[in-house]
Amino acid sequence: MPDRRLIRVLSIDGGGVRGLIPATILSHLEQELGARCSDLFDLIAGTSTGGIIALGLTKPARPGSPALSAADLVDFYRSDSKRIFGEKTGVALDLLRPRYNMGPIRRVLREKFRKVELKDAVTDVVITAYNLSTRSPFTFRSWHAQTQRDRNFRMCDVARATSAAPTFFPPANISPVGLARTHRAQFVDGGVYANNPGARALVEAIARFTGPGELFSKVQIMLVSLGTGSLLRDYPYKETRKWGLAKWARPLLDIVFDGVSDHVDQQLTVLLDHTQGLGSLYRFQADLTEASDDMDNTDPVNLQRLHDTALRILDRNQREFREVCERLARHRSVSIAQNVVAH
């Protein structure tokens, strides 16, 4: 059987400041291969903080050339996370209003992405969010932004939409580039349904790059999925049995995000690792045994622990990381752009 085309897909989970973990792993990947992620992958998907990373990796400096490296994004978490999570609305109002003001995160994202538009992404990028206006999941796709005026948003607005975690930030009220305010819609964090966007990434890659009958005969998918740490915090029954709406609000968000991530990982393992011919899954994840599982803990000690968690993931998965590097290097010069199926 002739060699099949390899579709290289990168998926990055949500998790707030814990995005430092996948950013660090990607920094080592870029150093190892001497190339940017936008050149190594055919499609990059992200949710919430993973969406910000995905957009950062595909932001153009000029047409076809990425502006930021993964190392730049590591610096972003170390230098800007304190600004994003630094202005609380007030402890006394925490149950009545979002924990953080919208101004700081909006300013940081505008500084990072300026007026760059989604249609100009240097690699196909997929970002998840939830549309409160239509009460439905929403997917930002860079290739749709290139052909559909109402699907092209500024990257800074997409980043706000995918990371507007309920109880932490207000919803993002945004509109497509150049369209009237009547086209505005409210979005919240895509983590409410796809904190691990791996399944979304797989479906998008199949739809984007394969034609009828190609999937098992002519195409193979390589999915690299990066987590932001598994939560280990215990909620004792003697406490939870007394909880009402106010007590459940914040823990429930963590449970939903973490549960969704693990569930998708289990599904992808069956689909890719246990299905002959479809492709392969490389999942890089670890329990948060030392670093905090809080999405907003920007203490320098915790940031270092998150960095150390990433190094531990790489150390414990040396064989898988080496295999990823070898496969990406082998297929680095292979372009699948001419094989895109129009949708």
Side-chain angles (χ1 to χ4, degrees):
M1 180 183 293
D3 290 340
R4 292 179 293 171
R5 283 186 291 122
L6 182 68
I7 301 174
R8 306 157 300 173
V9 182
L10 173 62
S11 171
I12 312 168
D13 287 14
V17 72
R18 303 195 324 257
L20 180 58
I21 294 174
T24 300
I25 293 173
L26 291 173
S27 176
H28 281 260
L29 182 69
E30 288 188 344
Q31 289 178 343
E32 184 73 20
L33 294 176
R36 298 288 182 86
C37 287
S38 58
D39 296 322
L40 297 172
F41 293 95
D42 302 299
L43 185 147
I44 301 176
T47 292
S48 194
T49 196
I52 294 175
I53 294 173
L55 290 165
L57 295 172
T58 58
K59 173 191 171 184
R62 55 184 182 276
S65 176
L68 302 173
S69 66
D72 292 327
L73 294 169
V74 171
D75 292 339
F76 167 76
Y77 283 97
R78 289 189 176 277
S79 61
D80 290 313
S81 61
K82 189 70 173 179
R83 295 172 59 196
I84 291 173
F85 295 108
E87 190 176 308
K88 290 189 176 183
T89 54
V91 176
L93 299 176
D94 203 25
L95 296 177
L96 303 177
R97 297 173 57 185
R99 175 175 289 186
Y100 295 100
N101 288 322
M102 179 173 57
I105 187 172
R106 185 164 55 186
R107 285 192 295 272
V108 168
L109 293 175
R110 285 179 176 176
E111 290 171 10
K112 184 61 61 177
F113 294 105
R114 299 189 180 278
K115 295 184 178 182
V116 175
E117 298 175 13
L118 184 61
K119 69 179 178 62
D120 297 318
V122 297
T123 297
D124 285 340
V125 64
V126 170
I127 307 296
T128 66
Y130 187 85
N131 190 332
L132 288 179
S133 302
T134 61
R135 293 295 298 273
S136 61
F138 189 90
T139 304
F140 296 93
R141 303 175 180 89
S142 57
W143 60 95
H144 281 184
Q146 294 166 4
T147 59
Q148 301 175 36
R149 190 181 179 195
D150 63 345
R151 292 302 182 101
N152 184 36
F153 296 78
R154 288 182 177 175
M155 281 191 172
C156 62
D157 289 338
V158 177
R160 263 284 292 131
T162 190
S163 62
T167 76
F168 282 88
F169 297 107
N173 189 27
I174 64 174
S175 59
V177 176
L179 294 184
R181 296 178 65 87
T182 54
H183 287 80
R184 282 186 176 272
Q186 291 186 73
F187 294 94
V188 294
D189 199 311
V192 298
Y193 75 96
N195 199 53
N196 175 346
R200 181 78 262 163
L202 178 63
V203 170
E204 295 293 338
I206 291 172
R208 177 70 169 152
F209 299 119
T210 70
E214 285 191 323
L215 193 55
F216 290 93
S217 60
K218 297 181 180 180
V219 171
Q220 187 176 39
I221 296 174
M222 172 185 176
L223 176 58
V224 178
S225 176
L226 304 182
T228 58
S230 292
L231 279 61
L232 298 177
R233 188 179 309 190
D234 181 36
Y235 296 106
Y237 173 70
K238 65 180 181 179
E239 295 179 13
T240 59
R241 68 187 179 89
K242 300 176 183 178
W243 286 2
L245 181 61
K247 283 284 190 177
W248 267 112
R250 190 63 52 70
L252 186 59
L253 187 68
D254 291 337
I255 291 169
V256 169
F257 282 10
D258 197 48
V260 166
S261 293
D262 290 345
H263 180 60
V264 170
D265 183 33
Q266 293 167 8
Q267 292 176 318
L268 290 173
T269 298
V270 173
L271 282 172
L272 292 174
D273 284 352
H274 295 169
T275 303
Q276 289 293 326
L278 179 57
S280 51
L281 170 68
Y282 298 92
R283 175 69 169 169
F284 295 92
Q285 176 71 305
D287 292 337
L288 292 171
T289 56
E290 297 177 2
S292 169
D293 61 16
D294 289 333
M295 294 194 295
D296 57 349
N297 187 335
T298 60
D299 184 277
V301 173
N302 187 57
L303 294 180
Q304 184 58 46
R305 287 174 177 170
L306 290 170
H307 177 265
D308 293 342
T309 299
L311 298 184
R312 188 171 73 250
I313 291 173
L314 291 171
D315 182 61
R316 292 180 178 178
N317 297 275
Q318 292 183 38
R319 182 184 62 80
E320 291 82 0
F321 184 73
R322 175 56 53 192
E323 186 173 324
V324 166
C325 290
E326 290 175 352
R327 294 187 71 186
L328 290 177
R330 191 160 61 243
H331 292 270
R332 179 179 168 186
S333 61
V334 179
S335 172
I336 64 171
Q338 67 271 22
N339 299 307
V340 169
V341 179
H343 288 277

